[in-house]
Amino acid sequence: MPVPGRFTIHARDGKARRATLHTAHGEIQTPVFMPVGTQGSVKAVGPDDLLQAGSQIILGNTYHLYLRPGDELVARRGGLHRFMSWDKPILTDSGGFQVFSLSTIRKISEKGVEFRSYLDGSKHFFSPEKAISIQQNLGSDIMMVLDECVGYGADREYTARSLERTTRWARRCREVHTPGADGQLMFGIIQGGFHEDLREESLGQLLEIPFEGYAIGGLSVGESTEDMYRILNHIGPRMPEEKPRYLMGVGTPMDILEGIESGVDMFDCVLPTRNARNGTLFTSQGKVNIKRAEFREDDGPLDPNCQCYTCRNFSRAYLRHLYTAREILSYRLNSLHNIAFFLELARQAREAIEGGRFAELKAHYQGIYGTDGR
Ligand SMILES: Cc1ccc(CCc2c3nc[nH]c3cc3c(=O)[nH]c(N)nc23)cc1
Ligand SMILES: [Zn+2]
């Protein structure tokens, strides 16, 4: 009987790890890419598409689902898994990041964060306890603590004070949910901005609280690749060796490979679905912008090395036509392919670590996508 939270490392290649994380809805082979399903759906693709593409886990959002349709409603409908017909693992974010990135009016205090709904401007309040209660209603397998993701360029003094509060909030989240209750896991989130010493301070404080995993927050907030990699390379290897490490909101294919090389196990990013909707497609030979005229009469598959539904059934000419005609099918086929690309990248990484060839895999993609893939 698998114990939710058990994390078994099978192989290492430098700092990269090949592991298995056990959850109440099944096991996750890491490194893993997690498609983002903010409002209870991964935009334009269904659960069957995701399964066929090899998705092991998807992400949901406390902020959005609390505001609409309501976490209590989802609970009454049997929880998020049943609501969206996804019976594999789900990770939910705590909503803190979304409040800061989506709500215009908000006030942060020791108690929590007050904000106005992006839907109708109504006033709401998230305490750490409330953020956990919502995630319990949703029934996610991995819950994130309520944290403050300080913006890029926040001054050192504010960043230092903010990480202290984020730790106090993390403690309050842990106090309202016994480890492993209902099979739900809880991850702490490291903040500290772009200061290595503050990052170590945040990590050190969080290590005093028993979490089943630890996330790196506060990155992918508009910083340079250099700044992201500097913090990633510093804190990744310092995180608990025996627990899963999740890098929030990252990133391009090269960012993900950089993260894996720094010892990170789990990744999420909106790039695959967001870029799909503007015609930017990731392939084994680099980025393809499907709206370009050169594809008008191109009968070839989008990516000859891709096994996804889109690449097995449609030509570039057809995908370009759908995009130009703004056909809804364009969003589905483009999103499905991009998700399949990121899932395949993670699968290749798992295989490469097992074979001690991760450095070669990273060099291969560097030759195609450059050093940071932007
Ligand atoms: C559905 C869903 C969407 C998005 C996310 C991750 C959202 C996200 C970040 N995205 C980019 N950078 C990010 C930083 C943080 C962060 O510091 N803390 C939290 N809680 N989330 C972050 C999780 C779940
Ligand atoms: Zn494809």
Side-chain angles (χ1 to χ4, degrees):
M1 177 59 188
V3 176
R6 198 175 83 212
F7 184 66
T8 313
I9 298 178
H10 308 297
R12 288 180 173 78
D13 187 347
K15 299 188 190 96
R17 303 111 67 86
R18 166 74 180 86
T20 299
L21 173 60
H22 294 268
T23 77
H25 281 86
E27 49 186 54
I28 301 165
Q29 302 308 325
T30 67
V32 61
F33 176 76
M34 307 182 285
V36 169
T38 298
Q39 300 198 88
S41 111
V42 176
K43 291 187 178 2
V45 295
D48 53 344
D49 288 334
L50 290 166
L51 287 176
Q52 195 185 48
S55 181
Q56 302 182 73
I57 174 173
I58 60 173
L59 268 53
N61 220 309
T62 292
Y63 175 79
H64 295 86
L65 294 167
Y66 159 79
L67 288 174
R68 182 177 57 189
D71 56 298
E72 306 282 354
L73 180 149
V74 175
R76 288 193 299 273
R77 308 274 66 76
L80 190 53
H81 289 85
R82 179 161 328 148
F83 195 50
M84 64 184 291
S85 284
W86 176 260
D87 63 5
K88 282 175 169 286
I90 295 176
L91 180 151
T92 45
D93 199 3
S94 51
F97 179 81
Q98 289 73 28
V99 165
F100 290 96
S101 47
L102 293 173
S103 282
T104 42
I105 318 284
R106 64 214 180 244
K107 251 168 49 192
I108 185 167
S109 68
E110 188 62 29
K111 289 198 306 293
V113 55
E114 183 184 291
F115 61 95
R116 286 190 183 278
S117 163
Y118 75 103
L119 295 171
D120 60 12
S122 54
K123 219 184 232 182
H124 299 268
F125 185 80
F126 274 179
S127 64
E129 295 79 6
K130 177 68 175 170
I132 293 302
S133 157
I134 295 169
Q135 295 177 83
Q136 287 178 297
N137 276 334
L138 299 176
S140 52
D141 298 282
I142 301 172
M143 302 185 285
M144 302 308 292
V145 297
L146 184 70
D147 62 323
E148 182 185 7
C149 171
V150 293
Y152 185 53
D155 70 48
R156 182 186 163 84
E157 179 48 33
Y158 182 83
T159 302
R161 282 205 319 279
S162 168
L163 80 84
E164 304 282 344
R165 179 170 51 206
T166 284
T167 301
R168 292 192 294 273
W169 284 2
R171 199 170 291 118
R172 287 168 54 186
C173 288
R174 182 79 276 176
E175 273 157 19
V176 293
H177 180 267
T178 313
D182 304 329
Q184 291 183 281
L185 312 178
M186 190 185 293
F187 282 16
I189 304 177
I190 302 163
Q191 292 294 344
F194 293 87
H195 309 278
E196 283 87 341
D197 59 337
L198 295 185
R199 283 283 174 174
E200 286 183 41
E201 183 63 31
S202 176
L203 173 58
Q205 292 175 10
L206 290 174
L207 289 180
E208 291 165 18
I209 308 165
F211 288 117
E212 286 89 356
Y214 294 84
I216 302 172
L219 294 183
S220 189
V221 290
E223 75 277 11
S224 65
T225 299
E226 182 195 356
D227 275 341
M228 178 196 282
Y229 289 8
R230 173 170 61 82
I231 295 301
L232 185 49
N233 300 161
H234 186 83
I235 203 68
R238 287 175 166 78
M239 295 165 78
E241 169 75 18
E242 75 293 348
K243 298 215 169 152
R245 300 159 172 174
Y246 165 26
L247 175 52
M248 305 190 86
V250 173
T252 69
M254 293 320 298
D255 292 344
I256 289 173
L257 293 173
E258 184 76 17
I260 293 171
E261 190 175 56
S262 300
V264 173
D265 309 298
M266 302 165 73
F267 302 85
D268 85 84
C269 185
V270 292
L271 260 188
T273 37
R274 185 173 294 170
N275 279 21
R277 296 196 296 277
N278 67 39
T280 304
L281 303 175
F282 294 87
T283 78
S284 59
Q285 276 117 21
K287 275 190 214 170
V288 165
N289 203 316
I290 197 62
K291 54 187 167 226
R292 293 167 63 95
E294 64 191 274
F295 302 124
R296 283 174 71 95
E297 314 248 359
D298 185 335
D299 289 333
L302 172 61
D303 184 344
N305 299 319
C306 180
Q307 297 308 313
C308 86
Y309 173 69
T310 302
C311 294
R312 281 185 286 111
N313 293 284
F314 306 98
S315 68
R316 287 178 170 187
Y318 181 65
L319 293 175
R320 180 181 180 280
H321 161 64
L322 291 183
Y323 182 83
T324 311
R326 281 275 174 266
E327 275 294 313
I328 293 172
L329 182 59
S330 171
Y331 291 167
R332 174 161 175 254
L333 296 180
N334 289 359
S335 301
L336 181 52
H337 165 77
N338 273 356
I339 289 168
F341 177 82
F342 276 71
L343 292 171
E344 173 62 8
L345 181 73
R347 192 199 61 74
Q348 289 176 6
R350 296 195 292 269
E351 201 176 70
I353 295 166
E354 287 167 5
R357 293 184 298 99
F358 182 75
E360 289 84 331
L361 182 75
K362 185 169 180 246
H364 166 74
Y365 277 102
Q366 228 149 18
I368 297 164
Y369 280 94
T371 47
D372 62 5
R374 276 169 183 54

